Amino acid sequence: MEEILKQVQLGTLSIEEAKGKLATYENLGFAKVDHHRKKRQGFPETIYGEGKTAEQITTIITAIQAHGDDILVTRISGEKATEVRSTHPELIYNEIAEILYTRNERKNRFANGFIAVLCAGTSDLRVAEEAAVTAEAFGCEVRRFYDVGVAGIHRLLDNIEEIQQATVSITVAGMEGALPSVVGGLVSHPVIAVPTSVGYGANFNGLSALLTMLNSCASGISVVNIDNGYGAAYSAALIHRLAQPTEEGQS
Amino acid sequence: MEEILKQVQLGTLSIEEAKGKLATYENLGFAKVDHHRKKRQGFPETIYGEGKTAEQITTIITAIQAHGDDILVTRISGEKATEVRSTHPELIYNEIAEILYTRNERKNRFANGFIAVLCAGTSDLRVAEEAAVTAEAFGCEVRRFYDVGVAGIHRLLDNIEEIQQATVSITVAGMEGALPSVVGGLVSHPVIAVPTSVGYGANFNGLSALLTMLNSCASGISVVNIDNGYGAAYSAALIHRLAQPTEEGQS
Amino acid sequence: MEEILKQVQLGTLSIEEAKGKLATYENLGFAKVDHHRKKRQGFPETIYGEGKTAEQITTIITAIQAHGDDILVTRISGEKATEVRSTHPELIYNEIAEILYTRNERKNRFANGFIAVLCAGTSDLRVAEEAAVTAEAFGCEVRRFYDVGVAGIHRLLDNIEEIQQATVSITVAGMEGALPSVVGGLVSHPVIAVPTSVGYGANFNGLSALLTMLNSCASGISVVNIDNGYGAAYSAALIHRLAQPTEEGQS
Amino acid sequence: MEEILKQVQLGTLSIEEAKGKLATYENLGFAKVDHHRKKRQGFPETIYGEGKTAEQITTIITAIQAHGDDILVTRISGEKATEVRSTHPELIYNEIAEILYTRNERKNRFANGFIAVLCAGTSDLRVAEEAAVTAEAFGCEVRRFYDVGVAGIHRLLDNIEEIQQATVSITVAGMEGALPSVVGGLVSHPVIAVPTSVGYGANFNGLSALLTMLNSCASGISVVNIDNGYGAAYSAALIHRLAQPTEEGQS
Amino acid sequence: MEEILKQVQLGTLSIEEAKGKLATYENLGFAKVDHHRKKRQGFPETIYGEGKTAEQITTIITAIQAHGDDILVTRISGEKATEVRSTHPELIYNEIAEILYTRNERKNRFANGFIAVLCAGTSDLRVAEEAAVTAEAFGCEVRRFYDVGVAGIHRLLDNIEEIQQATVSITVAGMEGALPSVVGGLVSHPVIAVPTSVGYGANFNGLSALLTMLNSCASGISVVNIDNGYGAAYSAALIHRLAQPTEEGQS
Amino acid sequence: MEEILKQVQLGTLSIEEAKGKLATYENLGFAKVDHHRKKRQGFPETIYGEGKTAEQITTIITAIQAHGDDILVTRISGEKATEVRSTHPELIYNEIAEILYTRNERKNRFANGFIAVLCAGTSDLRVAEEAAVTAEAFGCEVRRFYDVGVAGIHRLLDNIEEIQQATVSITVAGMEGALPSVVGGLVSHPVIAVPTSVGYGANFNGLSALLTMLNSCASGISVVNIDNGYGAAYSAALIHRLAQPTEEGQS
Amino acid sequence: MEEILKQVQLGTLSIEEAKGKLATYENLGFAKVDHHRKKRQGFPETIYGEGKTAEQITTIITAIQAHGDDILVTRISGEKATEVRSTHPELIYNEIAEILYTRNERKNRFANGFIAVLCAGTSDLRVAEEAAVTAEAFGCEVRRFYDVGVAGIHRLLDNIEEIQQATVSITVAGMEGALPSVVGGLVSHPVIAVPTSVGYGANFNGLSALLTMLNSCASGISVVNIDNGYGAAYSAALIHRLAQPTEEGQS
Amino acid sequence: MEEILKQVQLGTLSIEEAKGKLATYENLGFAKVDHHRKKRQGFPETIYGEGKTAEQITTIITAIQAHGDDILVTRISGEKATEVRSTHPELIYNEIAEILYTRNERKNRFANGFIAVLCAGTSDLRVAEEAAVTAEAFGCEVRRFYDVGVAGIHRLLDNIEEIQQATVSITVAGMEGALPSVVGGLVSHPVIAVPTSVGYGANFNGLSALLTMLNSCASGISVVNIDNGYGAAYSAALIHRLAQPTEEGQS
């Protein structure tokens, strides 16, 4: 801000221009698209697909692409994706993750390490894939360790040495949600825990797994919202980026 | 009932006596003491100490002892126990478990196997000991495996082979309560899970551990109330008794 | 583990073989099938049908049968079952219990006693049958006592003498869930309580019955998740097996 | 109202007097004492003692007695009661019920029948006595059936024939709160159920018993607030009064 | 029981007959129909229609009618009712109340007074009518006072004098559920409060109204489950019957 | 009331007429329409459309129009609106707000200031528009500030100076619901906060946003029910009316 | 902002001064005191006393008084107040409201109208007084209507005509919290509802009253946090100020 | 594991030694101290002080120090700390954070960047300091930004440029917990959000802030348990360590 004030003082910047410098979004009427975030984070602009029509999604995509930015649409059904792709055939749709995104040539743009995505059971797959595909769209290498829930602990222990090499883990679990506690005790890197709404009875739509993860007695675990694979990947990608030598990825 | 009816029909039993046969408790005014349960289960009569005065407890003990039965008082503070022992010095007080009970000569009356009592952390000790001491008072051999929580899974795995030899496990855990899920996947016997109210924040007085255990994806786990070490021991002792050859313990 | 280490030391086991010995599951890509559990428990391998496609279920069944194991699929709709049976006509479908399973020649393989399955009302039938059919698939004799809820206590008392002969009871109840408390006070064996989501208003999808059962003032009761007939049967079968003479059933 | 309007029209009532007729309470500054309720119900005026100082209670008592009405103070500690009785020695204090009230010469003013007060366990005693003493202060005959919880069903069945003679039952229970369901199935009169906060773990301060009672599958049961013995007695007394021949009690 | 024992002793009753005397229900396989309740209460046998097929309902109706009893089916959709009436055309269906019942010639069999049914808003109509029609089927006179919610207090005050003449009131309200509190302060008879699940937002399916009613500061109010119009009517009818001269209605 | 009493006394008002003066509503059978509210508030009579049939809505509209009053129907689907408009083509339907109302010539009848309606995200649009259209139907000028959620605080700060000119703000937000806290710290007028049920996972149908708003550490904020745009507009309009010079709007 | 930018451009404001203009608080180390709020609102600066030591409170008071502003400390115990007054004897302490504040010469600085503060019962007094004293400290005239709960509706109706003259009402109620619904239906001004934690049993620390108020079917009601008398007064004072002619109070 | 197996095969490691290698903890009887974690993470061994006696804490400290490791005791009261320091005077006690720890010569051992610790209000101080002191004990540079809650957004915006330079932020907030949402929208690094139990009314001991943070619409936020400053610092330190050039800190 000080710099802008100086330029105004020096007369090298008009008041109108100064105000423009602070304008950080484009007003589409029904939405305000933020073009600065991309620059701040180096990540594609994300659209939350649920509750938006295919038409609205298409309009926002066009606005973002006009700035040359990559696209990531989460929680978009196959039906809507097909409709959007009729005008944006360059976008790829991942059915399990329910994600529509720009083919990213810079995949694995970060040289150092990988993000481990673990899930406890096969029913947690959608959320785990939402996390994995998002992290890949953000340029991270992802390795998947699925169906490694604690009720058959050998499945986890067999893979733990590879998991320990990751910079950060995303651990997805429904039902009792105990997986992050066990993982947290076995690795030395940050663990992002994602409770899922998978379960029945006293699961209460994921509340059970959420409370388990928040109360974990293992250290180094932090938690995102129920089923929020995207949010976990976002946090994990920010952490993964920090683990890179400065010259790549971080600027 | 049919037998009593037959005896009445045959005249070998008067109506008054028949009614007496059905009288299953003694009325102390403020409480009705059940003398049949002892016979039905072969276990000492139990008094829940919380909310009763030392005087009331003493009165009930005297009534039970008049029938020659053993005593087990749970949730009794050291102070009350001292007061009760002034007239009943034959009773033993266990400070950690907060249990007052009859020295049982028949300890380990069951020849076959043992009950494993596991707890996740040192703060679950009171509940674990309530379970262990109760099971011992019921005549079972107990082996303790404490501080084997999932955040340091090696502590559990190092002891798992011995635990697998038990007839039944009591698994006590607070905070995220994940221990029973891991144990349930590693043993072939029934697991009684006891959530404790140990924890803070979103633990909500044990709700977190309770939900975790109810939602466990491991099989063979059933759950008792929060902090209910006594109830777990009672169920475990019933199961342990079933595992004995008929001639001992079960009659 | 010590034995495997010894064999490695003696050179009678290669490192590769030692690692194979510890491999306890088959990786189907979307799932890891555990073939050791069967051996550990002597029970058929179970597949939770909800949320899986008929195709996925068929793939897992084929993998399990390749090891010669029996099959038990729970929570599978009639429609999916029909689809699966088109390639696996040897499997039997139970409509009320919504269970698909291998015809088990060894039914009632346990010589000693039976499991009593009680339910409070006719609306608890699906859960009660899930428990009963599961226990039968595990080789246990089951006797059913249905519609014996506490609001008409005579219906229970009329049958109590037979129920008392069981090795273990599964007690299923929705609405206020009071049945296990009454049963627990009348029998001398372990009681597994199953709350159901049957009810309306302040039932809150089974929460009411769940809390009732956890707070039961009768002893010897432990609880499984809401509607979890399968889990109750699993625990009950483990207990029932313990009640057998060693030479049969338990090895 | 029409009558008052007529009198005003006829001039037999001044406007000021008409307004006075509608004044139904006395303003003590910190409270408005309702003198009409007594007339409407035929019951003593009640003061809820919790959260009021002994001084405030004394002031309200004096105002009520000035109208010649009987007094009933609930939830008043022994200490406060002693202080109030220093100026009102004519009042009686019941320690267990924590009630202070006018010695009522008309005790049992209702000729027909009695109110049955049942409680499940000895820890529910305070609430049961609050109900019983209140009903007696209202002039009803009360018969007590204590410690008749469902875990020892014989204790209830032994007394059920006498209970069936009551005009109305008040059934008090904590923990799992199953007693009203069993009672409701055995009697033909209305049952007022009172959940108590007695219990531990997943009792959640009476929520468990409250939900049980609301979800009862027995008919003829209605529920009051947790620990609200007074409210149950009030409803029961209104019902009991209806069961009287018109000439006595009801006017 | 004593009488039956005596007859057995005298030989005037065989053991088989004695057992038959205690049989209080008919076993239809999927349900046990209780024929004694009718005698105990003098009310038609009730079938809860939700979750039962038209075929099951028809079977139960036939069994009950074989004993000459009246029928009341609650929570039965129009579609199912039509199907049942194809074989039982003598039954009447009330669309708003969703009740199917026997035309009762004895309507208003109780000479003394009436039951007032109040509801707060038009959306509470279904529940209010379930209460009203049930009470009528039980032989009570009912007077309806609908849409008298507290937000327009004049609508209630205009009718209060007639309401005060009732023997008992059923007060139905959703949303904030404040109506019973106001009514309870204005009448001298028992009030049965029925919370409904009508509302939105923080209503939480009737929890809001339920808590309001349980916490009412007016006396003489007891509460039934959310939307439980039937239960309210049952309790109200028991109370109303008590208010009758002995010779009619009560035997 | 005093005035009516005086007129009765003077004989200038008959008793029948006095009673009529107090009659404040019209009884349509299934509903009681309040014609006085309009006069009391100066606002159109409102009909809550959800749960009412198009036919019922039409009947109520006709009754209200007979008194010459304006109409506002909220929560009415497009389908029902079309049906109602077939007989009432003079009414306007707003699709996003799901509101049907009388074209009001007096739009902006209040000379002084405007109401600011803010919403955090595009998914809160329906609720925000319900608030905005209602306020306009009540004659207020409304200015919309949409998609100004706190995660991109610049979008709010850019518009804050105009918002500060409003007499009152309605702030609509789902998910974490933080917007009112920030707004409350930046303006000097009353803020009405509306939580929406928009969100997923641990949002629990708007509970998250509701609690956030109730716990706001900013002053001057009060909260209405989840999704209750209409209620917010009603309160805001009452406040806005107070901010007018007496001669206009307020009488 | 534009103005400051202009002055910087013109050179009439140095960059350092421009930054100072935006500094809106004083940093005391453990707290940042906001001196601008006072100017924005015209109200005294408020300190929330709970959880702060007397020493911290004294420090903040001194900092505020240095700017010549009035003081209002809420939730401060008598003990702490005494300690603070030892150095600030000019402050007044109100024991019931637990508020410490500057004697305000401008009391009733607003010429037009008054704020009505209603409370349902005597136990809601502390919260009602917190609201009333706060509003007075903000310069508003307050009229108190206490103990006018809905269980004795006449107490409210007797005062309603005076209440209707207020510009805004603060309605405080615990237990079932029904008072605002009734008031909202009788007045034409905005109603701020304050739930209190007064109650017992299923009151759940004010949750019952909170839900009641949020679900009110009366219009014009908005709600603040449980026991938040201060917050209600703040909102009410903002509204009351709007109701004044521009020249007084509002600038 | 493979390496150990190889050594066993080669005979360079005895079976006993191999088992010792796998022993990862020391058994103190009441606790098992894990000495490997220190090596895995490079952080001091932490003891959770709550619920442990000063004597137990002292014993564990002695065991840890015997391995030459640093100490960190959290949630330890001043009284207990004094007792422990009587034998361990080398430890430092921080009163606000309630932490006892080893004076760490390597403070700020990480060359690159700092951790920002923000808190919303002065009452969140204890939790914020627990986070800050823990992070410092782990060798991280910490910068504190306190009392920057969203109700006075300028306080945050004034400091945001410095905060943006951090590698990771810990954001502590009670009441409505909105701070992380605003911060998350303004920075490009990971944000760890810590809800505190500070608040009243519908705060429900931190539930409000917890839900707010989980539902945040800003990206890059993950959440730890209520009041869990230690857990936040642990996760933050793991992240901060990743941001270092490999040669320092990370090995």
Side-chain angles (χ1 to χ4, degrees), chain G residues 10-11 21 26 30-31 34-35 41 43 46 50 58 66 77 82 100 103 123 144 147 184 204 216 222-223 235-236 239:
Chain G
L10 293 171
K21 286 268 173 183
E26 177 175 3
F30 65 93
D34 186 345
H35 295 302
Q41 314 278 18
F43 293 160
T46 309
E50 209 165 287
T58 304
S77 65
T82 303
L100 182 76
R103 187 182 300 278
S123 2
R144 290 157 171 85
D147 202 12
F204 299 125
S216 176
S222 60
V223 186
S235 281
I239 294 169

Side-chain angles (χ1 to χ4, degrees), chain C residues 97-123:
Chain C
E98 299 190 348
I99 283 182
L100 182 76
Y101 64 115
T102 308
R103 186 181 301 279
N104 199 321
E105 304 299 330
R106 297 182 310 148
K107 192 163 171 176
N108 298 345
R109 66 173 161 125
F110 299 114
N112 189 12
F114 64 92
I115 296 175
V117 178
L118 294 80
C119 84
T122 53
S123 2

Side-chain angles (χ1 to χ4, degrees), chain F residues 5 12 52 183 196 203 231:
Chain F
L5 284 171
T12 59
K52 295 204 181 67
V183 172
T196 75
N203 176 282

Side-chain angles (χ1 to χ4, degrees), chain B:
Chain B
M1 186 175 78
E2 191 167 345
E3 200 163 328
I4 295 176
L5 285 171
K6 273 186 188 154
Q7 290 188 307
V8 170
Q9 196 180 40
L10 293 171
T12 58
L13 198 70
S14 74
I15 287 173
E16 212 48 43
E17 283 168 334
K19 284 170 75 176
K21 286 267 174 183
L22 292 168
T24 56
Y25 55 84
E26 178 175 2
N27 201 331
L28 298 182
F30 65 94
K32 297 188 168 57
V33 177
D34 187 344
H35 295 302
H36 275 226
R37 185 175 298 186
K38 159 81 182 160
K39 280 184 202 126
R40 287 200 303 270
Q41 314 279 20
F43 294 160
E45 188 65 27
T46 308
I47 303 159
Y48 185 71
E50 210 165 285
K52 296 204 181 66
T53 63
E55 200 185 342
Q56 288 177 313
I57 294 171
T58 304
T59 306
I60 301 177
I61 287 173
T62 306
I64 294 172
Q65 288 184 333
H67 280 72
D69 293 342
D70 289 344
I71 298 291
L72 182 73
V73 191
T74 62
R75 306 275 170 113
I76 177 169
S77 65
E79 204 177 346
K80 278 194 217 168
T82 302
E83 200 175 333
V84 173
R85 293 186 67 236
S86 69
T87 54
H88 289 282
E90 74 283 5
L91 300 178
I92 302 167
Y93 184 62
N94 182 311
E95 258 182 60
I96 301 175
E98 300 190 349
I99 283 182
L100 183 75
Y101 64 114
T102 308
R103 187 183 301 277
N104 199 319
E105 305 298 330
R106 297 182 311 146
K107 192 161 172 177
N108 298 343
R109 65 174 162 125
F110 299 115
N112 190 11
F114 64 93
I115 296 176
V117 178
L118 294 80
C119 83
T122 53
S123 3
D124 304 318
L125 222 69
R126 197 201 64 71
V127 178
E129 275 299 298
E130 182 180 303
V133 172
T134 296
E136 287 173 347
F138 285 1
C140 308
E141 183 188 338
V142 168
R143 298 200 196 156
R144 289 156 171 86
F145 304 86
Y146 287 178
D147 202 13
V148 294
V150 301
I153 198 80
H154 301 302
R155 299 175 300 184
L156 175 65
L157 297 181
D158 278 9
N159 295 285
I160 197 65
E161 287 180 41
E162 184 176 0
I163 295 168
Q164 284 168 339
Q165 307 307 317
T167 53
V168 55
S169 289
I170 295 169
T171 306
V172 180
M175 302 184 80
E176 86 267 62
L179 185 57
S181 292
V182 176
V183 172
L186 294 169
V187 303
S188 304
H189 56 247
V191 175
I192 311 290
V194 192
T196 74
S197 55
V198 169
Y200 54 100
N203 175 283
F204 299 126
N205 301 320
L207 180 65
S208 169
L210 172 62
L211 292 182
T212 302
M213 293 174 181
L214 286 168
N215 285 288
S216 176
C217 51
S219 296
I221 296 173
S222 59
V223 186
V224 296
N225 203 355
I226 297 165
D227 291 337
N228 191 3
Y230 169 76
Y234 198 107
S235 281
L238 288 180
I239 293 169
H240 187 59
R241 198 178 57 171
L242 281 173
Q244 308 304 318
T246 320
E247 63 274 16
E248 41 161 342
Q250 287 193 46
S251 62

Side-chain angles (χ1 to χ4, degrees), chain A residues 62-92:
Chain A
T62 307
I64 294 173
Q65 288 183 333
H67 281 71
D69 293 341
D70 289 344
I71 299 290
L72 182 74
V73 191
T74 62
R75 307 274 172 112
I76 177 169
S77 65
E79 203 176 344
K80 276 193 219 169
T82 302
E83 203 175 330
V84 173
R85 293 187 67 235
S86 69
T87 54
H88 290 281
E90 74 283 4
L91 299 178
I92 303 167

Side-chain angles (χ1 to χ4, degrees), chain A residues 48 50 75 195-197 204-207 210 224-228, chain F residues 175 197-208, chain H residues 211 214-215:
Chain A
Y48 185 71
E50 211 166 284
R75 307 274 172 112
T196 74
S197 55
F204 299 125
N205 300 320
L207 180 65
L210 172 62
V224 297
N225 202 354
I226 297 165
D227 291 338
N228 192 3
Chain F
M175 302 183 79
S197 55
V198 169
Y200 53 99
N203 176 282
F204 298 126
N205 300 319
L207 180 64
S208 168
Chain H
L211 293 182
L214 286 169
N215 286 288

Side-chain angles (χ1 to χ4, degrees), chain C residues 151 176 181 185 202-203 208 212 215 217, chain D residues 151 176 181 185 202-203 208 212 215 217:
Chain C
E176 86 268 62
S181 292
N203 175 284
S208 169
T212 303
N215 285 287
C217 50
Chain D
E176 86 267 61
S181 291
N203 175 283
S208 168
T212 302
N215 285 288
C217 51

Side-chain angles (χ1 to χ4, degrees), chain E residues 61 71-73 76 81 84-85 91-93 98-101:
Chain E
I61 288 173
I71 299 290
L72 181 74
V73 191
I76 178 169
V84 173
R85 293 187 66 236
L91 299 177
I92 303 165
Y93 184 63
E98 300 190 348
I99 283 182
L100 183 76
Y101 63 114

